[in-house]
Amino acid sequence: MRKVLIAGGGIGGLSAALACARAGAEVALFERSAEFSEFGAGIQLGPNVVKVLYGWGLQDALHEVVACPDRLQVRSATTGSELGVLRLGEAFARRYGAPYYTIHRADLHALLLAALQQQGGAALNLASSVVSFEQTDADIALQLAHDEVVRGDLLVGADGAWSGIRQQLLNDGTPQPTGHLAYRALISQARLPEHLRTTQVTAWLGPRMHVVQYPVRRGEWLNVVAIVHGKVQGDMSCWDHSGNAAELQKRLNATCKPLHDLILAVPGWRLWALSIRPPMRSAREQAQGRVALLGDAAHPMVPYLAQGAGMAIEDAAVLARMLERGGFFADATANGSSDPGDRVPSLLQRYALQRWQRNARVQARAIRNGAIFHAGGLMGLGRNVAMKVLGEGLLDLPWLYRGV
C-alpha cells in the first residue's frame, strides 16, 4: 500500500485522511494536541461541499446533525430593512444537486473522525508534534518530536493557517492581521424570545461591521458571528479569548432594534482576531515535490464567503482523485511498470494545478465581500440599492456552488 503522511487533525486533515483511505492508501495522521477537538462555532456547507461529503457516504450522518435553512436573507444593520434574499431549500438542492446545510464545527469534525475510524487504514497519532520534513527522490521523512522519524510516499500539510509545513516548504512569512475582530457565540434557540428564533441564514450589513446568524444542530441552536474593526496585541496564532459582551454591545449600539436585541440576548462570546494571506498566486503555493498543502495551510481566507472549511474539503477530494487517476494506489511495479510512488511529484502538481486558481478566486471574493459588507456612505447606499434591484442575481454563485 502507498503511505500518505498527514500533519494536522482538523477538518482538512481528517478529510484528506478519509479521502485517501477510501481510495486505498495507508494513512498516518499526526495531531499535536492530546485529543481530537474543535472549538464551538458554526460552518455553512454549500452544495459544492455537501456533494463531496455525500460521495464519501456521509449523507445519513449529516442528516442527524445539520440544520437546513430555507433561505439566506441580507438585512441592513442600521434600519433592519431587507436588502436581498437567496432561496435555499428544495429549489436550491435541485439546482445544484445537493442542499445547503449549516452545521456546528465540532459536529462536522466528529462526523469525519467517526467515518475515518470506521473506514480503517489510518493510524491516528495524538500528541505528535511535527518538527520538520525531508524529501528525497524515493520518499519523504517526517521528523516528530522526541526524535521519532516516519517515512512515507507523500506529506499533506493540513496544519492550519500558521502551518509549520508551509514555512519549511515556502518560507513566506506568517498570515497578517486584517484589522477585523470576530466575536462568535452559540446559544440554544429555546433560550431566545420567539421573535429572535430562526430557520434561515441572516447577514446584517453595516458601516465597519456585519453580523451573521444561522441555526445549527438540527435547528436547536443559533450560531452568531459579529465582525467589527479593531486591533489586538499578542500572539495572533493562538488568539482565542473570552469576548467582552459589554464592549461588543457598545460597538453595535447604533444598530436596529432586532439586531440589538439579538446581541443583548447572547450571554457570552469568544473573540478571534482574523489574519490572512494574499490570494494564491501560483500552483507552487499548493504543492511542491512530495509535499501538498491543503486548507488553511495553503489558502487561509476571511470568512466572508463561508467557504474556508469547504475549500479544505474540496482540496481533500481532488487530492485523492488525482492520486487515484494517476495510479498511485495501484500495485507497485505491476506488469513491469515503474513504481507509482515515483510519480508522486507529478501527481501532486496535477492536484495543485486543479486547485490553486479556484482557491485564489474564493480568497479574493471573500476579501471583496468584506469591503462590501462593511461599506458605509455612498458605497453602502450603492450596495443596498444593487441588492434590492438584483436580489438573487448577486447572492447566487453558480461558479462556486456547482463544485469541482
Side-chain angles (χ1 to χ4, degrees), residues 55 66 72 93 113 125 166 168-169 173 182 198 217 247 260 336 356 358 379 388:
V66 297
L72 186 156
L113 179 60
N125 303 279
R166 180 188 181 115
Q168 183 178 341
L169 187 69
T198 186
R217 291 190 163 163
E247 174 65 22
H260 196 249
W356 82 269
R358 179 169 170 85
M379 185 176 175
K388 286 183 178 180

Side-chain angles (χ1 to χ4, degrees), residues 74-95:
V74 181
R75 298 178 67 176
S76 166
T78 52
T79 68
S81 63
E82 184 178 272
L83 303 177
V85 170
L86 176 62
R87 291 166 293 173
L88 302 175
E90 287 298 323
F92 205 71
R94 286 194 300 270
R95 187 182 314 157

Side-chain angles (χ1 to χ4, degrees), residues 37-90:
S37 64
E38 272 287 354
F39 58 81
I43 295 175
Q44 298 181 59
L45 298 176
N48 56 305
V49 187
V50 175
K51 281 188 281 192
V52 174
L53 298 173
Y54 278 9
W56 292 341
L58 302 179
Q59 184 168 348
D60 291 342
L62 278 168
H63 289 173
E64 293 294 319
V65 295
V66 297
C68 308
D70 50 7
R71 66 179 197 155
L72 186 156
Q73 177 191 47
V74 181
R75 298 178 67 176
S76 166
T78 52
T79 68
S81 63
E82 184 178 272
L83 303 177
V85 170
L86 176 62
R87 291 166 293 173
L88 302 175
E90 287 298 323

Side-chain angles (χ1 to χ4, degrees), residues 68-289:
C68 308
D70 50 7
R71 66 179 197 155
L72 186 156
Q73 177 191 47
V74 181
R75 298 178 67 176
S76 166
T78 52
T79 68
S81 63
E82 184 178 272
L83 303 177
V85 170
L86 176 62
R87 291 166 293 173
L88 302 175
E90 287 298 323
F92 205 71
R94 286 194 300 270
R95 187 182 314 157
Y96 293 114
Y100 195 108
Y101 288 149
T102 51
I103 190 171
H104 191 297
R105 177 178 289 270
D107 290 342
L108 177 58
H109 188 269
L111 182 154
L112 289 167
L113 179 60
L116 182 57
Q117 291 171 327
Q118 184 176 8
Q119 172 66 37
L124 306 177
N125 303 279
L126 294 169
S128 298
S129 295
V130 175
V131 176
S132 63
F133 65 84
E134 181 178 353
Q135 52 180 324
T136 70
D137 290 340
D139 65 4
I140 190 163
L142 200 58
Q143 175 71 57
L144 306 178
H146 311 299
D147 297 325
E148 183 180 358
V149 176
V150 181
R151 309 194 81 89
D153 293 287
L154 66 95
L155 168 63
V156 179
D159 48 341
W162 304 83
S163 166
I165 301 298
R166 180 188 181 115
Q167 279 301 97
Q168 183 178 341
L169 187 69
L170 301 179
N171 191 29
D172 61 351
T174 59
Q176 296 302 301
T178 62
H180 293 181
L181 306 178
Y183 288 80
R184 292 187 171 107
L186 283 160
I187 184 169
S188 169
Q189 297 226 54
R191 295 180 55 185
L192 293 171
E194 186 69 33
H195 72 284
L196 294 180
R197 300 174 191 176
T198 186
T199 61
Q200 68 181 20
V201 181
T202 301
W204 305 81
L205 311 185
R208 296 172 62 82
M209 56 75 60
H210 80 280
V211 177
V212 178
Q213 63 180 83
Y214 51 82
V216 294
R217 291 190 163 163
R218 300 168 300 279
E220 296 168 8
W221 287 75
L222 188 68
N223 181 75
V224 186
V225 183
I227 311 280
V228 299
H229 291 207
K231 297 180 180 179
V232 296
Q233 301 295 323
D235 182 1
M236 300 284 284
S237 67
C238 59
W239 187 272
D240 171 11
H241 291 246
S242 177
N244 187 316
E247 174 65 22
L248 181 61
Q249 291 164 14
K250 180 180 177 181
R251 286 174 175 268
L252 302 184
N253 189 54
T255 57
C256 64
K257 187 177 187 304
L259 178 55
H260 196 249
D261 287 349
L262 174 64
I263 298 302
L264 289 176
V266 177
W269 301 86
R270 301 300 299 175
L271 175 62
W272 281 265
L274 302 183
S275 297
I276 197 174
R277 292 184 182 276
M280 301 181 82
R281 288 157 291 199
S282 72
R284 69 182 299 273
E285 295 180 53
Q286 192 89 52
Q288 290 186 37

Side-chain angles (χ1 to χ4, degrees), residues 325-343:
R325 287 179 180 175
F328 174 73
F329 304 113
D331 291 339
T333 66
N335 300 320
S337 62
S338 62
D339 187 337
D342 295 340
R343 301 196 297 273

